[in-house]
Amino acid sequence: MRFDILTIFPDFFVSPLGAGMIRRAVQDGLVVIQTHNIRDYATDKHAMTDDRPFGGGEGMVMKPEPLAAAVEQARGNGGDARVVLLTPQGRTLNQRLAEELAGEKQLILVCGRYEGVDERFRAAYVDLEVSIGDYVLTGGEPAALVLLDSVIRLLPGVLGCGDSAENDTFSRGSRGGLKYPQYTRPRIFAGREVPDVLLSGDHAAIERWRFLAAVRRTISRRPELVAAMELTPAELKLLRENGISLPSAGVGGD
Ligand code: 6GU
């Protein structure tokens, strides 16, 4: 998969892309990531990428021409790219959207600044607008990194088969709910023991315990996710047998 990142701060990406999973995915040839400095596509002699808003008001607006030229350049590198603008006004990123984007051949990620990009660039070039949550960042760069990370880890071959994405919180193995709690050595830490069942070697019992713990945790922390959990009749029976009743959305608490 190919990512082109359009930004006025290409340096922002150097260290995060050079570490951990993303670095390995690039080294293994599973992803190609190229940053483009929007300033390089500016046409005027001062290499301006933003300007004052028509109609007055605070802040600066990103000019459309450099953004458009950068998108055209990035497109030339691949096939049919999807152009994604990172903006707090976009569709909120979640696991489902990350999975959808992981199916694309090329994403062009446009990092807008908070004050905004010219509306005509958005209308003419942007296929999808994405936000990473209901809070304000100074620019789309941290959001682009979050999107990049969430998508790249889903690509075949990126995660070792030992830690597949299948059982992640929010993913299919977790029925769209939260993941069960995890333990490692030592068996006693801060006076707290690892649950006996996890040491029992009884894989069916461990799986049951993990399922119940995951559902309890989802009910307590994210009750709004419970309604969407797809549970089999056998799983619903297991919940009933363990005195767990599914709340309707909006009910929660420990
Ligand atoms: Cl994508 N951009 C900015 N500037 N702020 C945000 C955001 C994006 N997502 C959440 N807050």
Side-chain angles (χ1 to χ4, degrees), residues 86-129:
L86 284 311
T87 162
Q89 299 187 11
R91 173 171 159 198
T92 307
L93 180 63
N94 59 18
Q95 196 63 25
R96 184 158 30 91
L97 180 53
E99 283 164 8
E100 184 185 320
L101 294 175
E104 299 285 342
K105 269 174 36 195
Q106 182 188 9
L107 291 181
I108 298 177
L109 304 179
V110 183
C111 303
R113 49 183 297 168
Y114 168 62
E115 291 85 353
V117 307
D118 186 284
E119 179 69 8
R120 295 160 300 175
F121 167 76
R122 191 197 63 71
Y125 285 86
V126 173
D127 299 311
L128 174 70
E129 297 175 55

Side-chain angles (χ1 to χ4, degrees), residues 86-88 114 130-133 135-140 143:
L86 284 311
T87 162
Y114 168 62
V130 174
S131 162
I132 61 166
Y135 42 83
V136 175
L137 308 170
T138 52

